[in-house]
Amino acid sequence: MSDEEQLVIMQLIMDGGNAKSSSFEAIQAAKKGAFDQAQAKLKEADSFLAKAHNAQTDLLTTEAQGQHTQVSLLMVHGQDHVMNAITFRDLAGELVSVYQRLDNNSAK
């Protein structure tokens, strides 16, 4: 595995982890009724996921150009981080919506 491939994989791990953390922070903010902050954290998570997606696209482009990327445990771990972060981000968006709906209903 080349140094460049290792850097891309580490970016997947970091961006996936950061996206998950931001998503969790969004849930915590919504739980406290800080919905603007929750939305900002969801946008932040989306930004990290976009970076991870770009890193994945780089790997796919290299593969499509005929330069095979060795699939290692580290690569699988990086992809797992990204997929987990995507799922967590989707769930966080739903939970923020539920908290906001509950807050709106209790205000009536």
Side-chain angles (χ1 to χ4, degrees), residues 21-34 37-38 92 96 99:
S21 293
S22 294
S23 298
F24 188 77
E25 290 171 8
I27 295 168
Q28 295 303 310
K31 191 187 279 189
K32 295 175 186 173
Q37 182 184 2
V96 168
Y99 277 119

Side-chain angles (χ1 to χ4, degrees), residues 43-85:
K43 282 186 179 184
E44 185 177 84
D46 290 340
S47 176
F48 284 121
L49 288 174
K51 288 180 187 179
H53 175 74
N54 289 338
Q56 285 178 319
T57 300
D58 289 345
L59 289 171
L60 291 170
T61 300
T62 300
E63 186 82 21
Q65 292 171 344
Q67 299 174 24
H68 180 69
T69 302
Q70 179 183 352
V71 178
S72 65
L73 184 56
L74 188 60
M75 169 77 77
V76 172
H77 182 66
Q79 294 293 341
D80 184 50
H81 265 273
V82 174
M83 294 308 299
N84 189 23

Side-chain angles (χ1 to χ4, degrees), residues 87-102:
T87 301
F88 201 88
R89 163 51 182 98
D90 290 344
L91 181 59
E94 292 299 317
L95 285 172
V96 168
S97 293
V98 168
Y99 277 119
Q100 196 157 19
R101 184 183 227 180
L102 289 171

